[in-house]
Amino acid sequence: MNSMDTHGRAIRRIVIVGGGTAGWMTAAPLAQRLAGDPAHPCEVTVVESPEIGTIGVGEATLPTIRAYNAALGLDGADFVSKTMATFKLGIEFRDWGHAGNRFFHGFGDFGPPLAGIGAHMHWLRLAGAFDKMPDLENWSVPSVMARHDKFVPPNEETPGMTDAYSYGFHFDASLYAAYLRDYAMVRGAQRIEGMIVEVEQHPESGFVTALKLRDGRRVEGGLFVDCSGFRGLLIEGALKAGYEDWSEYLPCNSALAVPCASVPALTPYTRSTAKEAGWIWRIPLQHRTGNGHVYSNAFTSDEQARRVLLDTPDGTALDEPRQLRFLTGRRRKSWVKNVVAIGLSAGFVEPLESTSINLIETAVGKLLELFPDRDCRPELAEEFNRVMGGRYESVRDFIVLHYKLTSRDDSAFWRYCASMKIPDSLRHQIELFRETGRVAILDRAGFAEPSYVAMMMGLGVVPKRYDPLADRVDVRVVHGHFAGLRDMIAQAVARMPAHGAYVADQAASTMASSRAA
Ligand SMILES: Cc1cc2nc3c(=O)[nH]c(=O)nc-3n(C[C@H](O)[C@H](O)[C@H](O)COP(=O)(O)OP(=O)(O)OC[C@H]3O[C@@H](n4cnc5c(N)ncnc54)[C@H](O)[C@@H]3O)c2cc1C
């Protein structure tokens, strides 16, 4: 055999442990790429236990989900219809920073750069000189759309000035997992229902060789993907990868989730409202509104948290709130030997900014990029762990920023957040922005400059200085640019359909095409 010939070492069976969002989001692209080719047989098997079930939350996403769906070749309207999805232009923050505060973190910028200098720098210059400068959000297309409950996708082929935005989705997590399950199984993925009670490992290498199910069945494999949720059945239970605890920066450790009846005016955004010991989410779907309270049980009781959630007037509760506990942090290594952890088994930063599903997309993409043979070279694991470790940390810093930059002192929770220690990487980002208006992007695959600007300014950080090169641009040109763009955005948004009407249209078009077929 040629020493470069890896064919004989190819993995013949990938076993995915868990059939939650992570499990099926992993199975779908693996089945698409690897299953069903008789010349290169490779089975993709998902083992799940209905008895344990899935976490059943995780319904808001980032725009990157569109690239994930597109790579699978999913039809947009069919996906919207089958998963009860709505469109997400960003997050409305209420009472964050200080009580009564409201701002929007949209998936878009604040207009194009002028003379190569970011729009927010020119805005800071004008805002420093003129009292009546309107809020920066007026130049964020998704923020203006959200304010008016409008939605239409941007023209991505020949984008104009008012197409500078993106969008993600809100969807029913269990319907999305089922949608991907059907997709994967049509492409040859296998599904085994059963409870794993034992993990067998090779006595010398420590590689996982098989899973034993309670009914006595054995499931062998060459590569195991641990999507078993917080349990980390393989990555922690068998391989003891270790967990880095981030709760000193991210003190929330509990959630109560409750489905509610839909309320009129389907909003094209997630709402996050700060409360005395955490925050409440509101996620609009076609058939219901998801509400949940994320809080720290060191600062409030579960009973009080439940009352706070049920006092929120957005829709009648359709069920009893469901309690969840978590520990923020990440697995020290998410790829060890022939086990790769994806989803909650790899870590959890917390639900604010909906980054978990995005981290699943990244991990699945990286696994395919670094796909191993049966040797599972440790160099591949090291590279995967380096990239994923960086991604988790940049997400952590961005979320910690939301808590740290508070001026609220109305509860022990917010006083803790304001005074807590933060990672040095984040301290640098905040100080740089506060002093100069510049944003240090430490992870190019993470949140971009407009997201930091929206969050820091929204939370009340007004930079002391702006880019001095902005002064070289004639102030009348800058004024003209801002006035013209603001009018253009207002007019474009006025012509857009209401979000609810757009969603109904998508759903109707799928029904019409399935009737025609
Ligand atoms: C309160 C809260 C809100 C969230 N909101 C968002 C959000 O808005 N956006 C976002 O991107 N993310 C969000 N997340 C995260 C998101 O829910 C998860 O990333 C996502 O659902 C993936 O979960 P999972 O598949 O890793 O785990 P799970 O859904 O827990 O699935 C685990 C699977 O493993 C199986 N399993 C476990 N043990 C065994 C065993 N012994 N034998 C057989 N099978 C087994 C289970 O049956 C199940 O199928 C939120 C999380 C929480 C806690």
Side-chain angles (χ1 to χ4, degrees):
M1 187 178 83
N2 180 332
S3 63
M4 290 287 285
D5 179 10
T6 56
H7 185 64
R9 307 287 309 145
I11 286 171
R12 296 293 172 92
R13 192 187 220 183
I14 306 162
V15 180
I16 298 168
V17 175
T21 305
W24 289 110
M25 280 187 77
T26 302
L30 290 185
Q32 177 198 31
R33 292 276 295 274
L34 307 175
D37 176 359
H40 304 96
C42 180
E43 267 183 37
V44 176
T45 301
V46 175
V47 184
E48 60 179 319
S49 159
E51 221 175 295
I52 294 181
T54 64
I55 191 152
V57 282
E59 309 206 310
T61 63
L62 295 178
T64 51
I65 189 75
R66 292 197 289 130
Y68 171 89
N69 283 354
L72 295 178
L74 301 183
D75 174 76
D78 186 58
F79 156 80
V80 166
S81 170
K82 300 261 173 60
T83 63
M84 289 289 166
T86 67
F87 296 85
K88 175 180 169 186
L89 290 163
I91 304 179
E92 182 190 59
F93 287 89
R94 288 190 178 180
D95 298 331
W96 284 83
H98 60 87
N101 195 20
R102 187 224 152 264
F103 63 93
F104 197 77
H105 169 202
F107 299 142
D109 59 21
F110 299 97
L114 265 186
I117 297 164
H120 79 278
M121 291 294 191
H122 296 288
W123 182 90
L124 285 169
R125 176 188 179 197
L126 296 186
F130 306 98
D131 283 349
K132 294 217 167 73
M133 188 65 189
D135 203 281
L136 184 59
E137 268 183 30
N138 288 286
W139 287 277
S140 153
V141 183
S143 305
V144 179
M145 288 167 73
R147 208 183 294 153
H148 297 281
D149 290 335
K150 296 292 190 89
F151 183 79
V152 76
N155 179 346
E156 284 167 342
E157 269 163 33
T158 47
M161 295 272 265
T162 55
D163 290 305
Y165 63 95
S166 190
Y167 64 93
F169 300 102
H170 306 112
F171 52 59
D172 181 316
S174 57
L175 294 179
Y176 186 55
Y179 193 65
L180 294 181
R181 183 189 63 212
D182 293 349
Y183 175 99
M185 291 184 71
V186 164
R187 284 158 186 80
Q190 313 285 317
R191 174 174 175 269
I192 296 178
E193 242 183 67
M195 170 87 85
I196 299 159
V197 289
E198 201 185 314
V199 179
E200 294 180 6
Q201 287 173 265
H202 189 279
E204 277 145 37
S205 68
F207 274 39
V208 171
T209 49
L211 308 173
K212 231 188 202 152
L213 307 189
R214 195 166 53 195
D215 59 11
R217 281 177 293 173
R218 271 180 94 245
V219 184
E220 292 183 357
L223 177 72
F224 290 80
V225 187
D226 186 347
C227 296
S228 66
F230 288 132
R231 287 171 188 77
L233 202 64
L234 273 54
I235 196 73
E236 197 58 54
L239 293 167
K240 313 276 178 257
Y243 196 75
E244 200 173 302
D245 176 348
W246 289 341
S247 56
E248 68 175 316
Y249 308 130
L250 294 164
C252 289
N253 60 2
S254 306
L256 284 160
V258 66
C260 294
S262 294
V263 284
L266 201 59
T267 51
Y269 55 87
T270 304
R271 179 179 298 148
S272 167
T273 307
K275 294 288 173 187
E276 65 179 39
W279 58 280
I280 280 187
W281 80 72
R282 179 187 176 280
I283 296 178
L285 303 180
Q286 290 178 42
H287 56 320
R288 62 171 160 81
T289 304
N291 284 291
H293 188 182
V294 176
Y295 60 96
S296 165
N297 71 355
F299 291 92
T300 190
S301 67
D302 294 332
E303 188 40 43
Q304 172 63 8
R306 185 178 175 281
R307 267 198 299 275
V308 168
L309 174 63
L310 295 178
D311 280 351
T312 309
D314 272 330
T316 316
L318 300 174
D319 210 339
E320 264 303 296
R322 206 159 51 85
Q323 175 90 65
L324 299 156
R325 298 265 189 239
F326 52 85
L327 178 66
T328 53
R330 76 170 168 94
R331 207 63 65 196
R332 287 187 194 283
K333 288 179 179 171
S334 49
W335 182 336
V336 180
K337 299 185 192 288
N338 64 337
V339 172
V340 182
I342 294 182
L344 296 173
S345 61
F348 185 51
V349 183
E350 89 127 271
L352 196 58
E353 297 285 357
S354 339
T355 51
S356 259
I357 291 172
N358 167 270
L359 289 166
I360 296 171
E361 296 154 23
T362 310
V364 179
K366 217 58 211 166
L367 173 58
L368 273 163
E369 243 176 82
L370 299 172
F371 200 76
D373 61 19
R374 268 187 269 167
D375 295 336
C376 282
R377 288 294 315 167
E379 294 79 5
L380 294 172
E382 205 174 309
E383 176 59 7
F384 184 90
N385 293 333
R386 181 188 71 77
V387 172
M388 291 312 296
R391 295 288 351 266
Y392 270 87
E393 278 173 22
S394 89
V395 167
R396 175 200 65 193
D397 286 5
F398 188 61
I399 305 297
V400 174
L401 177 155
H402 295 51
Y403 288 96
K404 176 67 184 174
L405 289 179
T406 190
S407 329
R408 288 182 69 137
D409 64 356
D410 54 322
S411 70
F413 174 80
W414 288 109
R415 287 192 291 277
Y416 171 82
C417 292
S419 64
M420 72 185 169
K421 197 179 118 201
I422 56 170
D424 289 342
S425 40
L426 175 59
R427 177 174 309 289
H428 167 65
Q429 286 177 305
I430 294 174
E431 282 169 10
L432 180 71
F433 188 74
R434 201 191 297 280
E435 291 301 324
T436 74
R438 262 70 167 217
V439 176
I441 298 294
L442 306 179
D443 171 17
R444 294 270 151 213
F447 287 95
E449 182 176 280
S451 291
Y452 283 89
V453 171
M455 284 314 304
M456 292 205 258
M457 303 234 324
L459 291 166
V461 180
V462 181
K464 293 183 190 156
R465 300 169 187 79
Y466 55 86
D467 186 338
L469 300 183
D471 285 335
R472 299 165 77 105
V473 185
D474 185 334
V475 76
R476 286 164 305 182
V477 172
V478 184
H479 259 303
H481 164 83
F482 274 95
L485 184 56
R486 188 181 172 211
D487 286 351
M488 218 189 281
I489 293 172
Q491 285 164 22
V493 172
R495 287 191 298 269
M496 291 177 184
H499 176 231
Y502 187 81
V503 171
D505 236 40
Q506 294 283 294
S509 76
T510 333
M511 272 163 63
S513 60
S514 62
R515 267 200 305 271

